[in-house]
Amino acid sequence: MKSKLKPGPEKLLGMLCAVLVLELVPGPARADVWTFETPSENIQCTVGQEVGIQSDITCTIIERSGAPAQPRPADCSSDWGHTFSMREAGPAKVVCTKTSRNKDGFSKADYGITGKFGGFTCHSSRQGLKCTNRDGAGFFLSRKAQKVYPPSGSSTNSGK
């Protein structure tokens, strides 16, 4: 004989609370983040990739000299010429943001290494770090010079 017990009000309330808690707790992240730096620890990069969203890369050169890759915008009151960013498609840009001076915690991208991830290719050499996206846009970073490259086929040159 099977029991036909129905849960009491306390049991239903407990089950409802459990369902609500499960709905409020975020599910597992579907994003991946990679970090790397040059052997000198002067250039540090973070690559983010998430399902259904374009990947992005942000690289910061901690110590730099010379003129910035692009003129400082009038509305930039923070550090300029240290942080570069781009998505896997579209132009690269210089970002107006405070520069972190921390030099640890990143995986090393030894000189001579080329990495491909999240729609980007980056090559680390003794001359500097060059990263490009699928459109051919990108940037080159070294202590002495920083450049921004427009997407392939673009008639503008924001790297001068």
Side-chain angles (χ1 to χ4, degrees):
M1 191 184 253
K2 290 187 179 180
S3 173
K4 294 186 180 182
L5 294 176
K6 292 184 181 178
E10 307 84 29
K11 184 84 167 175
L12 287 174
L13 184 58
M15 290 168 44
L16 180 59
C17 286
V19 169
L20 288 174
V21 167
L22 288 174
E23 288 294 321
L24 295 175
V25 174
R30 295 186 301 171
D32 289 318
V33 175
W34 297 279
T35 60
F36 65 92
E37 65 186 1
T38 57
S40 69
E41 298 181 341
N42 194 40
I43 302 170
Q44 300 175 329
C45 300
T46 302
V47 179
Q49 185 175 17
E50 188 170 349
V51 175
I53 297 176
Q54 276 199 57
S55 299
D56 58 33
I57 185 170
T58 300
C59 294
T60 299
I61 181 157
I62 297 169
E63 299 296 330
R64 54 170 288 281
S65 62
Q70 296 176 335
R72 177 189 294 268
D75 62 349
C76 175
S77 61
S78 192
D79 292 337
W80 179 254
H82 292 268
T83 302
F84 295 72
S85 182
M86 68 180 157
R87 293 199 172 271
E88 64 186 70
K93 61 184 178 180
V94 182
V95 181
C96 178
T97 188
K98 183 164 175 45
T99 303
S100 171
R101 304 283 189 223
N102 296 330
K103 289 188 171 187
D104 58 3
F106 288 72
S107 298
K108 295 278 188 273
D110 290 330
Y111 297 133
I113 297 294
T114 298
K116 295 183 180 190
F117 35 78
F120 305 101
T121 300
C122 292
H123 179 74
S124 174
S125 71
R126 291 194 182 279
Q127 288 73 44
L129 179 74
K130 182 175 182 180
C131 294
T132 55
N133 65 13
R134 290 182 179 143
D135 289 347
F139 46 81
F140 171 80
L141 305 177
S142 75
R143 188 179 303 270
K144 293 180 185 177
Q146 303 81 47
K147 296 178 183 175
V148 175
Y149 302 103
S152 298
S154 173
S155 61
T156 62
N157 187 353
S158 56
K160 288 191 177 185

